[in-house]
Amino acid sequence: MKSISQTIITAALAALPVVTGITPAGMLAAPRRGVATANPSGEFAIYTSTNYSFEDQEATTSWDLLNLTSGDISTWTTDSNISEVVFVGPSNTSILYINATNEEGDGGISLYTADATHLASASLAASLPAPFSGLKAVATKSGDIHFLVYAPAYPNGTAYNEDLAETPASTARIYTDIYVRHWDTYLTAQRNAVFGGVLKRSTGSYSNNSSSPGSYSLAGELTNYVTGKCNATCAESPVQPFGGSGDYDISPDGSQVIFLTKNIDLPLANFTSSQIYWVPFSGSVNDSVPINPIGATPGAEGASASPTFSKDGSKIAYFQMNGIYYESDRNIIYVANADPTNLKITSVAGDWDRSPDVLAWSNNGRTLYVAAPDLGRERVFPVPVDAAADYKPKNITDEGVPAGMQVLPNNQILVSDSKIWSSRDIYTVNPDGNVTNVYFQANLVDQALSGLSAQDVSEFYFSSNSTEIDLQSWIIYPSNFSEQKTYPLCFLVHGGPQGGFYNSWSTRWNYKVWADQGYVVIAPNPTASSGWGQNLTDAVSTHWGDYPYWDLVNAWDYVDTSLPYVDTAQGVAAGASFGGYMMNWIQGHPLGRRFNALVSHDGVTNSLADYATEELWFINHDEGGIFTSPNETSTYYRWNPILYYENWATPHFVVHSDLDYRLPVSEGIMLFNMLQVKGVPSKFLNFPDENHWVLDRANSLVWHTEIFKWINYYSGLSNADSPY
């Protein structure tokens, strides 16, 4: 007998219109591949591949092995308990990996050493009593392994394990400071912390003639480097909710640790400022020293990111913003000596008008490879470590958005990226920008992506009255597209608002999945978008309702007058987060009458309620100040969608989920209630277990099914009698 949830999924699968190209179910079930990680000699790389079955409602993960010489790809292991792997040990094939369970079965994990070419050689090195993750490890001169992991920790510094935690008699939560909850979780006393440990190698346990890396065992207890450093707030690393192993690093010789935390001297909800701390591996939290406290580098007061040791351990590279409460300020590259007594922090290409967010050191330590949003892509740029402020980096990759990159021993860069038409491409590029090997392209392998290609996508630039520069938009075509035919317009608006539509794959808002319903998708990058200079990104502050709105009107006008194959009279529009706000905003404005249907996902309905969010720094920045008594001069009042309620008329689909603490569910309920009272055709979709994003595949299938049922009816693509 099928469960109720399975019945809903089956109905969703059956309700989807029959279209060629990629379907929601196909996209959601298609393999999702991780970043390729090469072994130290650059001979091969491994990466995860996760498949999903709607029939079984289950995801399964395996690991693939890519031979970097021949290009051959084979299954490395189907053991889904292997969650993380690090190449470390006496040979180029020695590994340390996390097994997602331990022998005690108490919610902890295990560490195993093995030879990557012979996993049967795996040997238990340690059983850890908490769900640690984020493994980083290096071999020391003695042959021991120094490793880092992280987990939530109690205020006393011990690791938190939910399976072993006592259940309190009361569920009450009491707070005396703001920042009650974040993203989808109410904050508790437990904070993330970086822990270090030593795996002691048994003397004489390794032989060059053996496939085993030898015997290791945990020496002593783990050291917590973070918990207990407190002032206005307490240190936490990685920083929730999106921080991970990129928030800390260990030096190649295993003697030093660096980690970043929000600024402990400032309230968490009001500021983005974060600092990087240095601590000796053999030390403790009491020995930690801030590398970049406010005042150490002129102007650098904002969020820090990606602290990374050079390959010889002598330098530390990181990003930092200037704005102390602006999460989308420009990232500037900094390099410091890995010596807290002689840091000598210098900026690298400090005036470069791009905001990099991924970095990797070259082998010789003279160059940093960084990835930054650039003209609708995220491109890789080599930047000399001694680059002057006016240095203008040149990109060595073009299309796509990297998920990760690694500099190989031969100085080539192994890139794992995605594109609108491919969920994962793996290739190498040399420092001059020549692609040397293309190892994998998902659209040429995965059945669900079969036929997708670069020909599905183009772009145009248009002028607007908000800016002196031309603005960009993507065009995504449906399968079997012909310029001799016409297709309804699907007009998407991105979130942020700082951010953008890039040439990348998405399992949430996949442009091609929307296009293959039978639309030409237009995805513009208006004011606020990143990759066209910081001025365009910054300009949206205090201008939510005018600059980007004007840009969207001009984008629509361009499509209407310049693309004869687009039927704007049958158009629909959709957006999430800021894009959802914009749907609510245009509902009350003339642009709203140009669409037959709108879709708002987790958008602001009443900007006077903006302080119901968690990250007050964001609201304070974008609204131009803290909330005060609203009046007509206040942006909280001026850009409020409900001021134009009398104009609401376009059929409107509303999505809002219970765990969205960025924009509380009451915003969606309010929007739906107002539409219903006014008699505007409307529908409300809610997930009690989703946050600002819909991540569960079964939920996502319903999300796609219901939205497409709605827009396909109003665009004329569906023959249904009703959108309900």
Side-chain angles (χ1 to χ4, degrees), residues 56 197 206 638 673 690:
D56 299 330
Y206 177 78
R638 187 189 317 158
N673 288 347
E690 298 285 4

Side-chain angles (χ1 to χ4, degrees), residues 94 139 236 492 554 611 690 701:
S94 298
E236 177 179 37
L492 301 182
N554 283 294
Y611 258 45
E690 298 285 4
L701 182 61

Side-chain angles (χ1 to χ4, degrees), residues 499-718:
F501 282 137
Y502 303 113
N503 184 7
S504 64
W505 186 262
S506 173
T507 54
R508 292 184 293 115
W509 287 76
N510 187 294
Y511 324 125
K512 190 65 170 90
V513 169
W514 288 66
D516 279 348
Q517 292 294 303
Y519 297 96
V520 169
V521 170
I522 301 297
N525 279 300
T527 296
S529 300
S530 304
W532 286 268
Q534 194 62 32
N535 284 343
L536 186 70
T537 305
D538 294 347
V540 75
S541 176
T542 72
H543 286 280
W544 275 35
D546 53 6
Y547 291 177
Y549 176 78
W550 299 343
D551 299 341
L552 297 174
V553 170
N554 283 294
W556 189 96
D557 287 342
Y558 179 94
V559 172
D560 187 52
T561 59
S562 304
L563 304 180
Y565 50 83
V566 180
D567 185 355
T568 55
Q570 294 295 102
V572 298
S577 196
F578 174 78
Y581 161 84
M582 188 52 67
M583 294 301 107
N584 303 341
W585 180 254
I586 68 176
Q587 174 67 275
H589 289 77
L591 183 57
R593 307 292 77 78
R594 298 184 186 182
F595 298 109
N596 289 357
L598 303 174
V599 178
S600 292
H601 176 110
D602 295 0
V604 171
T605 300
N606 176 18
S607 57
L608 293 180
D610 278 356
Y611 258 45
T613 191
E614 6 84 290
E615 295 180 347
L616 296 186
W617 68 72
F618 171 78
I619 294 300
N620 292 341
H621 176 271
D622 270 36
E623 295 285 15
I626 63 173
F627 184 84
T628 57
S629 298
N631 56 61
E632 293 185 5
T633 65
S634 164
T635 55
Y636 290 92
Y637 179 90
R638 187 189 317 158
W639 306 130
N640 195 338
I642 64 175
L643 292 178
Y644 302 90
Y645 177 60
E646 69 274 11
N647 300 329
W648 291 12
T650 302
H652 203 139
F653 190 100
V654 183
V655 184
H656 223 118
S657 296
D658 287 7
L659 296 183
D660 186 358
Y661 300 156
R662 177 64 40 87
L663 289 168
V665 68
S666 56
E667 292 292 294
I669 294 173
M670 180 181 188
L671 173 62
F672 180 62
N673 288 347
M674 295 178 72
L675 290 163
Q676 288 278 302
V677 169
K678 192 168 176 59
V680 178
S682 47
K683 194 172 186 178
F684 180 60
L685 174 62
N686 167 267
F687 298 100
D689 54 347
E690 298 285 4
N691 53 39
H692 202 52
W693 303 332
V694 175
L695 301 176
D696 177 83
R697 289 174 177 86
N699 287 344
S700 184
L701 182 61
V702 173
W703 183 90
H704 282 89
T705 301
E706 293 299 322
I707 289 175
F708 288 165
K709 186 192 303 182
W710 186 264
I711 64 174
N712 291 353
Y713 174 82
Y714 286 105
S715 68
L717 284 176
S718 168

Side-chain angles (χ1 to χ4, degrees), residues 296-549:
T297 307
E301 298 183 342
S304 306
S306 304
T308 308
F309 281 104
S310 60
K311 296 197 173 186
D312 66 359
S314 66
K315 304 285 185 182
I316 299 167
Y318 62 94
F319 303 126
Q320 189 169 15
M321 300 177 181
N322 285 340
I324 199 168
Y325 56 87
Y326 182 24
E327 66 182 9
S328 298
D329 203 358
R330 181 170 63 93
N331 266 333
I332 298 173
I333 308 167
Y334 290 95
V335 171
N337 289 333
D339 178 358
T341 66
N342 184 32
L343 290 169
K344 290 187 177 179
I345 300 172
T346 58
S347 64
V348 179
D351 295 338
W352 184 33
D353 200 13
R354 291 294 183 266
S355 187
D357 51 24
V358 180
L359 70 81
W361 282 91
S362 66
N363 290 316
N364 61 15
R366 299 173 186 168
T367 302
L368 286 168
Y369 293 96
V370 300
D374 184 52
L375 308 181
R377 293 87 172 156
E378 178 142 346
R379 290 166 164 154
V380 176
F381 299 81
V383 185
V385 171
D386 59 357
D390 60 355
Y391 182 83
K392 298 185 183 303
K394 296 181 180 179
N395 60 292
I396 59 172
T397 64
D398 189 15
E399 300 297 346
V401 172
M405 59 182 176
Q406 178 182 358
V407 179
L408 300 177
N410 62 4
N411 297 319
Q412 295 186 32
I413 302 95
L414 179 65
V415 179
S416 302
D417 76 7
S418 74
K419 302 175 176 68
I420 292 172
W421 56 87
S422 182
S423 59
R424 176 64 75 235
D425 288 358
I426 302 172
Y427 61 94
T428 50
V429 60
N430 67 22
D432 296 324
N434 298 313
V435 175
T436 52
N437 289 286
V438 177
Y439 293 109
F440 183 82
Q441 295 172 284
N443 60 311
L444 302 182
V445 175
D446 297 340
Q447 183 177 358
L449 281 59
S450 176
L452 304 188
S453 72
Q455 280 63 52
D456 297 327
V457 181
S458 63
E459 62 185 315
F460 64 87
Y461 277 80
F462 63 96
S463 61
S464 180
N465 50 328
S466 68
T467 176
E468 295 179 353
I469 68 170
D470 285 345
L471 301 173
Q472 185 259 12
S473 176
W474 292 106
I475 309 174
I476 300 90
Y477 304 105
S479 296
N480 303 316
F481 171 77
S482 170
E483 289 191 359
Q484 308 310 311
K485 299 179 181 180
T486 59
Y487 305 84
L489 166 67
C490 180
F491 194 83
L492 301 182
V493 180
H494 70 66
Q498 298 87 354
F501 282 137
Y502 303 113
N503 184 7
S504 64
W505 186 262
S506 173
T507 54
R508 292 184 293 115
W509 287 76
N510 187 294
Y511 324 125
K512 190 65 170 90
V513 169
W514 288 66
D516 279 348
Q517 292 294 303
Y519 297 96
V520 169
V521 170
I522 301 297
N525 279 300
T527 296
S529 300
S530 304
W532 286 268
Q534 194 62 32
N535 284 343
L536 186 70
T537 305
D538 294 347
V540 75
S541 176
T542 72
H543 286 280
W544 275 35
D546 53 6
Y547 291 177
Y549 176 78

Side-chain angles (χ1 to χ4, degrees), residues 175-187:
Y175 299 87
T176 56
D177 297 294
I178 54 178
Y179 222 41
V180 167
R181 58 188 190 177
H182 195 195
W183 190 247
D184 59 8
T185 305
Y186 276 82
L187 299 190

Side-chain angles (χ1 to χ4, degrees), residues 29-46:
R32 301 183 184 184
R33 297 177 177 86
V35 171
T37 301
N39 76 320
S41 58
E43 299 170 79
F44 62 90
I46 56 175

